[in-house]
Each structure stands twice: as structure tokens, then as C-alpha cells.
Amino acid sequence: MVPASWLQSSFRPAATIDEYTRFGWHGYLDEVSIAAPPPRRDLWVGAVGNGGQRRYVAPALQLVVAFTAGNYDQPGQGRMPTTLWRDVVLPSLRSPGGRGVG
């Protein structure tokens, strides 16, 4: 358990890596477009671990997604969790009938 104020601070940009990549405290920061009325863009925070471990948090949606894997030190270890996040989870949030939107 950590204080809510720590989480709020950790979800703000602490470093800009390039024009597309921002980093907060212990996580990459990005946004997802939500189509549900009203349309909006919501923050998500992602953490990456060795072996394909991934954690994504979307505070406004009260959503946490964790992927566990054991592909330690293997080439392409992040392909599967990245594909699931990008091709399954995010599209479900973008669609008007998607889970957790609104």
C-alpha cells in the first residue's frame, strides 16, 4: 500500500524520452482514446519486466491489467503481452460498448 498522493505524483511525467515516450515514476505514460460518451483521452501507465511481465494501469477507468510470463532473457519476450494490450485490451476500451468506459 502506498499513499494516494504518491500514486498521483507517479502518474505525472518525470522525464520525456522522445516525442512519443514519457516516463513517470516507475512507469511509461501514454493515453488511450475512449469512444464512449463523451469521447475523451485517458492516461495509462505501463511497467515492463524481464520475461514478458507487463503491468498497465488506467486510473480513470479503474482498470489494472497484468501479464505474467516466463520468457526470461529471450528475444521477443515482450511481443505477446504488447500484442494483447494493443490488439485486445485497448480496442475494447475504444469501442462504444467496451468494458469499463463511460
Side-chain angles (χ1 to χ4, degrees):
M1 302 300 274
V2 296
S5 61
W6 186 92
L7 284 174
Q8 290 168 352
S9 294
S10 73
F11 293 166
R12 284 191 216 111
T16 299
I17 298 168
D18 60 32
E19 65 180 304
Y20 304 107
T21 310
R22 297 174 298 151
F23 198 79
W25 297 353
H26 311 292
Y28 292 94
L29 306 175
D30 205 345
E31 294 179 334
V32 60
S33 295
I34 306 296
R40 64 185 191 272
R41 292 188 58 79
D42 285 334
L43 169 76
W44 64 262
V45 181
V48 176
N50 186 15
Q53 317 296 334
R54 299 289 186 274
R55 183 211 63 222
Y56 299 98
V57 178
L61 299 174
Q62 298 182 355
L63 175 71
V64 176
V65 177
F67 296 104
T68 59
N71 297 320
Y72 302 106
D73 302 321
Q74 300 298 312
Q77 60 182 289
R79 235 179 268 136
M80 182 56 70
T82 300
T83 298
L84 289 170
W85 176 249
R86 185 189 61 226
D87 297 346
V88 177
V89 177
L90 290 181
S92 75
L93 299 175
R94 289 184 187 121
S95 65
R99 182 190 157 283
V101 293

